[in-house]
Amino acid sequence: MSTLARPLIRYGYAPFMLLGINGVAIALVGGGAGKAWLLALLAVAVAASFTAEALLPYQDSWNGSHGDTGRDAAHAFVNETLILTSVAAIPALAALIPGDGIWPDSWPFVGQVLFAILVADLGITLTHYASHKVGVLWRFHAVHHSVQRFYGLNGLMKHPLHQTLEMAAGVTPLLLAGIPVSIAAVLSLAVAVQLLLQHSNADYRVGPFEHVLALNAGHRFHHLKWAGIGDVNFGLFTLIWDHLLRTYSYDPARRFTSDDLGMAAKPDYPTGYLAQLAEPCTRRGACHFTSDATGTSDSAEQVSTA
């Protein structure tokens, strides 16, 4: 790699995704361009994600398949389709809601998008938090915690029922407020971009914003496999709600390997796509919550020494 490429990716990749991709989406849709442009921007974001991971990986081994690429692609395809379908369904859903809502449509387009992101972030964060505390929710969320590496596709490696629940929690308040389809479409792209960044294997930096934005450096702590340790950093877009919930945790000196990820109490969690869809409904999946998501005194000691 050239001496220029390394710092360009390290310090330019996150701004390119957060400000570049999302900024172009806001400019295009806000200016009246067709929403099909968002699919092209999503393709650019995915290509940029894998390029950054290849050129400046956090862990070289995470760039190679762990027998999970096909499964993760299936999760990503199904869950991204659900997101896009939910956007397409907004006009029909809005017709079922009485009144015109209280949407701040007099605000600048970018302000409306940021408002939508903050509201969605709160709903998704609280649902994510509850998914670590409520047994039936954890059974479905556990699919996401079975990952053995961090890379772009991991962000959408979720059980589709849990993905639907999280998105409903984030979007329903916006729907009740009367969110326009154009804002919802940009929000859907912002979610996809955020998931790429949050689970990226690229070794990028954002300076002091790492304490505010829910990016990969902080999200790796959420995926620590020991019981109770991963009960931190629940935010999708920001860590604001984690600071308020007192669930924020970060140690810049900590390095991660695949041995740190997954679920310690369930090392034999199914790895196939269809098996992961079925697991929450099995007796084995039902028993899983009590052994891994409640936390123990031993796990608390591991936090202090990690």
Side-chain angles (χ1 to χ4, degrees), residues 6-60:
R6 182 177 294 271
L8 186 62
I9 294 172
R10 176 157 288 154
Y11 300 105
Y13 169 59
F16 171 78
M17 297 285 274
L18 291 173
L19 302 178
I21 298 293
N22 289 330
V24 170
I26 290 170
L28 287 173
V29 177
K35 299 176 187 64
W37 280 104
L38 297 180
L39 294 176
L41 288 172
L42 177 59
V44 172
V46 171
S49 173
F50 281 94
T51 299
E53 291 177 340
L55 296 178
L56 190 66
Y58 175 84
Q59 282 285 356
D60 288 333

Side-chain angles (χ1 to χ4, degrees), residues 49-50 53 150-156 192 195-197 199-201:
S49 173
F50 281 94
E53 291 177 340
F150 252 52
Y151 77 115
L153 286 185
N154 283 159
L156 284 167
L195 290 172
L196 287 169
L197 281 169
H199 296 82
S200 176
N201 186 34

Side-chain angles (χ1 to χ4, degrees), residues 58-59 61-62 66 145-150 220 223-227 229 254-267 292 302 306:
Y58 175 84
Q59 282 285 356
S61 63
W62 289 353
H66 287 44
H145 278 268
S146 67
V147 299
Q148 296 296 310
R149 60 175 173 141
F150 252 52
R220 285 190 285 260
H223 279 269
L224 277 166
K225 68 182 180 183
W226 296 286
I229 294 182
R254 175 68 188 260
R255 294 288 298 183
F256 292 78
T257 68
S258 290
D259 290 337
D260 299 311
L261 307 179
M263 295 179 286
K266 198 69 171 179
D292 190 47
Q302 288 179 340

Side-chain angles (χ1 to χ4, degrees), residues 76-163:
F77 175 79
V78 169
N79 288 322
E80 186 60 32
T81 299
L82 286 173
I83 293 174
L84 295 176
T85 301
S86 68
V87 173
I90 282 179
L93 294 173
L96 301 175
I97 299 173
D100 297 327
I102 55 171
W103 189 260
D105 49 18
S106 62
W107 292 10
F109 192 83
V110 63
Q112 295 181 53
V113 171
L114 292 176
F115 174 72
I117 286 174
L118 285 176
V119 173
D121 192 41
L122 175 60
I124 292 170
T125 298
L126 292 177
T127 303
H128 193 178
Y129 178 83
S131 297
H132 281 245
K133 307 299 180 183
V134 180
V136 66
L137 297 180
W138 170 255
R139 295 177 204 172
F140 290 91
H141 183 51
V143 171
H144 184 64
H145 278 268
S146 67
V147 299
Q148 296 296 310
R149 60 175 173 141
F150 252 52
Y151 77 115
L153 286 185
N154 283 159
L156 284 167
M157 203 206 96
K158 302 179 180 182
H159 196 286
L161 291 179
H162 193 268
Q163 165 78 5

Side-chain angles (χ1 to χ4, degrees), residues 224 226-231 294-306:
L224 277 166
W226 296 286
I229 294 182
D231 290 344
T294 55
T296 66
S297 58
D298 289 340
S299 69
E301 291 177 6
Q302 288 179 340
V303 172
S304 63
T305 58

